[in-house]
Amino acid sequence: MQTFTRCCRALLLAWLAVAGVQFGASAQSTNASIVGVVNDAKGQPLPGATVQVRNEATGFRTGTATQPDGRYQLRQLPLGGPYTVTVSMIGFAGQKREGLQLNQSDQVNLKFDLQEESTELKEVVVQGDRLINQVQQFGASTSVTADQIKNLPLEGRNFTGLVSLSP
């Protein structure tokens, strides 16, 4: 009985040691984050602005859109760099931050204040030369005319029997 108790204690201690290592390891993050806010020139948040992040060394790219309060989060980014963060929105001049290095568990906080920018669009003219009335068919098909339907021997004159004619 005493040997059984020692064995149970040893197993319990071993399990606690392994569980402690696993729980301790999961608390540390090997990835980094870039968070922040995008505002206009007056300090008002810009919802829907595009935030893109690119690792220039590896080509890794990801992005997000800002929330209604102008905030954004890009989590679990691979470590290293240099990273380039680009923010853009229609009607505003874009901004870029370059040369960011991400280390273990970093949370880089970047604030962008975008300036309004107007772009004059050129006139677009759409012309049509001719009307093409052509239907393209893809794959196998079968066309059955009204005369063929009238003369085909269909069991019980049920039109669903025509399905068997199609390849």
Side-chain angles (χ1 to χ4, degrees):
M1 184 71 170
Q2 193 174 18
T3 307
F4 178 74
T5 306
R6 282 186 198 156
C7 183
C8 287
R9 282 185 192 160
L11 284 173
L12 180 62
L13 288 174
W15 182 82
L16 288 173
V18 170
V21 168
Q22 287 178 346
F23 291 128
S26 67
Q28 295 178 357
S29 172
T30 59
N31 295 317
S33 303
I34 297 177
V35 299
V37 65
V38 179
N39 294 325
D40 63 10
K42 299 174 186 171
Q44 297 297 313
L46 286 176
T50 302
V51 181
Q52 292 187 342
V53 175
R54 184 172 197 270
N55 185 323
E56 300 300 330
T58 64
F60 170 80
R61 181 181 299 236
T62 187
T64 188
T66 56
Q67 301 297 316
D69 61 356
R71 297 196 178 278
Y72 65 91
Q73 300 178 17
L74 293 158
R75 303 222 180 263
Q76 297 184 348
L77 298 172
L79 304 179
Y83 276 93
T84 300
V85 180
T86 307
V87 177
S88 60
M89 186 166 182
I90 295 175
F92 292 87
Q95 285 189 8
K96 184 185 289 190
R97 304 268 171 84
E98 298 176 317
L100 298 171
Q101 293 289 331
L102 298 179
N103 298 313
Q104 184 173 0
S105 300
D106 278 354
Q107 181 171 318
V108 178
N109 194 343
L110 298 176
K111 180 181 178 192
F112 292 91
D113 293 316
L114 302 184
Q115 302 294 322
E116 287 188 38
E117 176 184 69
S118 62
T119 303
E120 187 174 326
L121 300 176
K122 296 180 182 177
E123 180 181 358
V124 177
V125 177
V126 178
Q127 281 184 306
D129 291 338
R130 60 186 174 146
L131 178 63
I132 299 175
N133 189 10
Q134 185 178 28
V135 176
Q136 289 184 336
Q137 294 181 355
F138 298 100
S141 64
T142 302
S143 178
V144 182
T145 66
D147 286 339
Q148 288 174 321
I149 292 173
K150 184 177 176 183
N151 295 325
L152 282 172
L154 295 174
E155 185 178 338
R157 303 304 301 162
N158 188 350
F159 73 93
T160 57
L162 295 172
V163 173
S164 63
L165 297 174
S166 183

